Amino acid sequence: MEVFWYLPTQGDERYLGTTIGRRPATYPYMQQIAQAVDKLGYGGMLIGTGQKQDTWIVATSLISVTERLRFLVAFRPAIMSPSLAVRMAATFDQISNGRIILNVVTGGDTKELAKDGIFLDHDQRYELTDEF
């Protein structure tokens, strides 16, 4: 079994569902987490989709400060073309020496999806993902 960690690109909370102990998602904090996860030997780290940080840019920026850590990069197929996604993944794979894993995210909160310009219903999103 491999255990993966989660990079809190939206910020981190000490207690779930409350702002007590809230920590903003600064780059030094994310770098610290990535380096700790790398040194502790986790199988990888999920960098989830969201509105505040771009997963591809965050993951790419952490390649050079880690050694073995694999990056599970989440992305939405509805906001980029397949050829762009392939080019980005291939470039990341080459730069990182094969440390990329892709997480294709079809669904999500409709309000969050709308902020990305995605106004497709559930079935339409899955059809788009199949085509992607």
Side-chain angles (χ1 to χ4, degrees):
M1 174 179 18
E2 286 188 288
V3 177
F4 277 56
W5 199 256
Y6 175 76
L7 186 67
T9 58
Q10 308 300 315
D12 210 355
E13 289 132 5
R14 183 173 181 145
Y15 303 104
L16 188 60
T18 180
T19 58
I20 297 171
R22 179 125 177 97
R23 191 167 183 175
T26 64
Y27 184 71
Y29 180 51
M30 290 188 287
Q31 187 177 18
Q32 179 185 9
I33 291 171
Q35 289 173 325
V37 171
D38 189 37
K39 286 180 182 159
L40 290 169
Y42 281 81
M45 183 172 58
L46 170 63
I47 303 174
T49 62
Q51 298 297 312
K52 295 184 180 182
Q53 305 277 343
D54 180 79
T55 57
W56 290 97
I57 293 173
V58 170
T60 302
S61 73
L62 296 171
I63 293 170
S64 65
V65 299
T66 57
E67 296 175 17
R68 296 173 303 282
L69 183 64
R70 292 184 298 155
F71 299 90
L72 179 55
V73 178
F75 71 98
R76 298 184 196 282
I79 64 172
M80 66 174 49
S81 69
S83 61
L84 177 60
V86 167
R87 188 176 317 124
M88 290 169 65
T91 303
F92 189 106
D93 190 60
Q94 182 181 25
I95 292 170
S96 70
N97 293 315
R99 296 192 286 148
I100 188 171
I101 304 167
L102 298 176
N103 177 19
V104 179
V105 179
T106 301
D109 177 59
T110 55
K111 289 180 182 179
E112 186 176 308
L113 291 168
K115 291 177 184 177
D116 278 334
I118 303 168
F119 301 101
L120 303 172
D121 67 27
H122 176 275
D123 292 345
Q124 291 171 320
R125 287 195 313 271
Y126 277 85
E127 287 173 21
L128 180 108
T129 299
D130 285 344
E131 182 180 334
F132 186 85

